[in-house]
Amino acid sequence: ELAARHGESPQRAALAGLLHDAARDFGEARLVRYAVSKRLKIPFFRLTAGRAPALLHSYVSAKLASGLFGVRDKAVLRAIALHTLGAVRMDTLSKIIYVADLAAEDRSFPRAGKIARLARRDLNAAFLAANYVKLTHASESGFWPHPVSLKLWKLLQKKKE
């Protein structure tokens, strides 16, 4: 739905949506081993592997999408890789997967529905809100706020001004 609303291919969005969590259940040690064995380029890899290895699943999922499932579409692979932390430069498909992952219908927290409704009208505003929710959740839960997500937040704030 979001892809169609925002001029992106629904098929590409569906493919990214289906594979974005392919490595979600790997377990932390396996995620780290896999990322090392495949020499994945992950921002702040050592820091992430030490503090929050579950965050590696998005990059590992992208590698699985390519290697195991034969996905060659670079935009789809990028959307999968960036769905957890985001990045300073994100295309429309990547923003859609980032927002949709946070605001999926099965999410039980109150802000999910609000962000989903916002995404139908204004993807960039929903992207900003999703980034805020992720950082707020990390802070409130005593989790580590990832440097990539923090950098993204600062950039989005500058764009807002």
Side-chain angles (χ1 to χ4, degrees):
E1 176 192 355
L2 290 179
R5 284 181 184 266
H6 297 292
E8 185 56 66
S9 163
Q11 291 79 12
R12 291 168 86 204
L15 182 58
L18 285 170
L19 295 174
H20 79 283
D21 277 345
R24 185 74 175 141
D25 295 329
F26 265 30
E28 294 179 345
R30 185 175 176 198
L31 285 169
V32 172
R33 283 193 312 273
Y34 188 91
V36 168
S37 73
K38 299 297 181 183
R39 294 188 170 105
L40 299 183
K41 294 179 183 175
I42 300 172
F44 301 96
F45 173 73
R46 288 184 186 192
L47 204 53
T48 306
R51 290 189 174 190
L55 294 175
L56 300 173
H57 87 273
S58 58
Y59 298 95
V60 172
S61 293
K63 184 65 176 174
L64 290 175
S66 172
L68 186 61
F69 297 106
V71 175
R72 296 291 172 251
D73 185 325
K74 289 183 182 187
V76 169
L77 296 172
R78 181 170 164 77
I80 293 169
L82 300 181
H83 86 271
T84 302
L85 299 175
V88 172
R89 290 181 188 88
M90 289 180 64
D91 59 15
T92 301
L93 180 61
S94 294
K95 288 178 184 179
I96 288 168
I97 301 305
Y98 182 92
V99 170
D101 182 54
L102 179 107
E105 289 182 15
D106 64 343
R107 300 292 190 198
S108 59
F109 61 95
R111 291 183 269 188
K114 191 174 185 179
I115 292 172
R117 287 187 297 279
L118 179 59
R120 290 180 183 100
R121 294 188 320 272
D122 186 339
L123 181 61
N124 288 325
F127 180 57
L128 173 68
N131 177 254
Y132 175 78
V133 166
K134 287 183 179 205
L135 286 171
T136 303
H137 174 73
S139 176
E140 291 171 352
S141 304
F143 295 127
W144 171 62
H146 197 280
V148 170
S149 295
L150 288 171
K151 186 175 182 178
L152 176 59
W153 172 253
K154 289 175 185 173
L155 174 78
L156 292 172
Q157 291 307 301
K158 284 182 184 177
K159 285 185 176 181
K160 230 172 85 171
E161 295 171 355

